[in-house]
Amino acid sequence: MTDLASAYLIEKEPYYKEVDDEIALYEAAYAARLPMMVKGPTGCGKSRFIEYMAWRLKRPLISVACNEDMTASDLVGRFLLDKDGTKWQDGPLTLAARIGAICYLDEVVEARQDTTVVIHPLTDHRRTLPLDKKGELVHAHPDFQLVISYNPGYQSSMKDLKQSTKQRFGALDFNYPERDLEIEIVAHESGVSTDVAGKLVSIAERSRNLKGHGLDEGLSTRMLIYAGALIQKGIAPITACSVALVRPITDDPDMRDALDAAVTTFF
Ligand code: ADP
């Protein structure tokens, strides 16, 4: 492995608790070099899972947080001006294809559709990436794999992946871990006791029932960990929940009242 590739290796085992049989499934998908899509609400463990799998498979991981201003050049690369003239700079996707990394495009639906299509030739038998501006066709390294994350909750018909993109991927469904596992994760990640973690998870369960009734999405595992971390730093639980759970998720006064009520039920 080149120095560049080893720079993207994950040295320490990421903490990851298996929820179902996703580890074996992903291993099989990687062995087949199947492009994969990890689907589920934000903050439920998708990115952590990919970090864990990259560590487990001993592959470099290149992650890209996608956004609507992202252009194809941000993924593929561009010519930059320097004192000697112009110099080509590989983008993260090109780099991953060259060094045989797992390339994780987080929230790919945020990117514009003309950006998304650049991944197509990498996801079928061609496994190539044309660098039009440079006049080069990159053949992906045999170990390269493309992974995208996708949150089905956010999608409107205006902003969705095209079928022609979706149908290039195998998919794993993710959701918040079941109660006991989520308590264990929140306790581990934030350092609070399982008793406190249990209360946080109970608040989250209430909020998840409000999804579609005024909340776009329930409280995520990530948010519970933030609340736990504040409690661990000595902040009173009710304040910690207000800062980490209630205020970020909604501005609607009625919804805030409903969530505050859930917090005071448990703390
Ligand atoms: P996503 O990529 O789905 O938005 P993340 O992977 O960033 O979410 O998950 C948020 C946090 O939740 C992680 O940083 C991790 O601390 C925790 N987490 C969620 N699920 C798990 C799991 N199964 N095992 C370990 N930690 C988890």
Side-chain angles (χ1 to χ4, degrees), residues 82-250:
D82 67 7
K83 58 181 182 351
D84 306 317
T86 54
K87 197 173 116 235
W88 175 262
Q89 169 87 51
D90 278 343
L93 183 64
T94 311
L95 180 63
R98 286 196 207 276
I99 67 176
I102 292 174
C103 186
Y104 178 52
L105 303 181
D106 197 6
E107 294 291 350
V108 75
V109 79
E110 292 296 329
R112 297 194 331 230
Q113 291 194 338
D114 55 330
T115 307
T116 324
V117 293
V118 306
I119 64 184
H120 284 189
L122 276 173
T123 52
D124 54 36
H125 63 281
R126 290 172 284 178
R127 287 177 59 88
T128 54
L129 179 62
L131 308 180
D132 292 339
K133 289 187 183 142
K134 191 170 179 247
E136 181 186 347
L137 185 66
V138 176
H139 291 272
H141 185 290
D143 294 339
F144 168 78
Q145 187 200 24
L146 187 65
V147 184
I148 61 177
S149 80
Y150 177 84
N151 181 345
Y154 291 164
Q155 271 67 63
S156 64
S157 54
M158 284 301 288
K159 209 175 189 191
D160 196 1
L161 285 180
K162 290 184 185 179
Q163 280 296 332
S164 61
T165 305
K166 283 185 187 173
Q167 296 198 10
R168 291 164 180 277
F169 291 86
L172 291 173
D173 277 338
F174 280 73
N175 212 329
Y176 312 114
E178 54 84 22
R179 183 178 169 85
D180 288 348
L181 197 57
E182 191 167 30
I183 292 173
E184 194 182 329
I185 292 167
V186 172
H188 177 274
E189 294 287 87
S190 68
V192 295
S193 65
T194 48
D195 177 47
V196 171
K199 292 180 180 184
L200 291 170
V201 170
S202 298
I203 296 165
E205 286 168 347
R206 293 255 175 124
S207 77
R208 291 166 191 167
N209 291 329
L210 294 171
K211 186 180 166 182
H213 303 279
L215 275 189
D216 292 338
E217 199 123 313
L219 296 168
S220 67
T221 310
R222 183 193 298 129
M223 297 179 92
L224 304 184
I225 294 168
Y226 288 167
L230 289 179
I231 295 171
Q232 224 12 45
K233 291 284 175 213
I235 304 291
I238 291 182
T239 311
C241 289
S242 174
V243 171
L245 306 181
V246 181
R247 289 182 197 162
I249 204 167
T250 179

Side-chain angles (χ1 to χ4, degrees), residues 15-17 41-48 185 189 222 225:
Y15 169 77
Y16 183 74
K17 284 272 162 195
T42 184
C44 75
K46 301 183 296 296
S47 306
R48 178 61 65 90
I185 292 167
E189 294 287 87
R222 183 193 298 129
I225 294 168

